[in-house]
Amino acid sequence: MDIQHMVYFVEVVKQGSMTKASEKLFIAQPTISKTIKNLEDELQLILFDRSKKSLKLTDAGKIFFEQCNEIVNLYKDLPVMMDNLLGVKTGHLKIGLSPIMNVKKLIKILADFHNCYPNITYELIENGGKTIEQSIQIDELDVGITALPVDNRLFQSFPFYEEELKLVVNKNHPLADKEKVSLIQLENEGFILFNENFYLNDIITDSCKRAGFIPHIVSKISQWNSIEEMIIAQIGIGILPKSIIEMLSDDVRSVSIESPSIVWQLGVIWKNNKYMNFVTKEWLHFMQKQLDSK
């Protein structure tokens, strides 16, 4: 067994398929299949339950994956660790962020950081909060920006900003000219929400339940501009963050919600108990310092 065998195995697990893993690694599928078989023979363990339609790890496979994943990550981090020892201020940072956040606030801090560390590059990946957490857990992202609170057994975090959520309706809707509405007034409305991958969906649904009703959901979408278009078409209503509402057209109106009001807090999160490279460490320190100075 060598590190390359572990790399193949870890990629098969992450992709859920030997075919997809071979495409990702640019390796012939028979080579990967043979490697997995050799690993099982060497360990004298069955790593995958092949009775299922899709690849599923056995209990032994799950334990082996956890250990392999740690070893592979350490192997990949070795060049960065050496750079850290030598004080080389270069590297790459993968940040997961919500598509329904005030991205200008993040970009401003990122620009200031870039001025200090011009040799560091970035990859910004938009996704729902639940996917961001999963991606951090399997080391596909270094840090994420998502709704707080998070499970502190899995993640460390600090607050980024808090934002009011407001009702958004078509300009001709009966509630369009109201200054405020109670949440219970929306009981008979059709809601257009983000899909279940977004914590905003949970926040809105839970708030409605606490107000005394289960929201009637007419559609679930992953893009806020699609929600806007459906509101303009009078298909339903939406509840969106204030910073997103500021970018909407004049064909919609926003109304404050009370009884109860709804807010959400976004935070910066990263994986617990993981070696932190220079880039991630500096970025988190820099961002927290910028936020504390506001």
Side-chain angles (χ1 to χ4, degrees), residues 202-219:
D202 299 346
I203 292 169
I204 294 169
T205 302
D206 291 346
S207 295
C208 290
K209 289 177 181 177
R210 286 195 296 272
F213 70 99
I214 296 174
H216 170 56
I217 301 171
V218 296
S219 183

Side-chain angles (χ1 to χ4, degrees), residues 102 104-113 158-162 283 285-294:
N102 185 349
K104 291 181 180 178
K105 190 176 181 73
L106 171 66
I107 297 301
K108 173 63 173 66
I109 297 175
L110 198 59
D112 292 339
F113 184 74
F158 59 78
F160 186 20
Y161 71 91
E162 188 173 276
W283 162 249
H285 176 73
F286 185 90
M287 191 170 191
Q288 195 158 24
K289 187 176 179 181
Q290 292 285 97
L291 293 171
D292 289 345
S293 67
K294 301 298 182 184

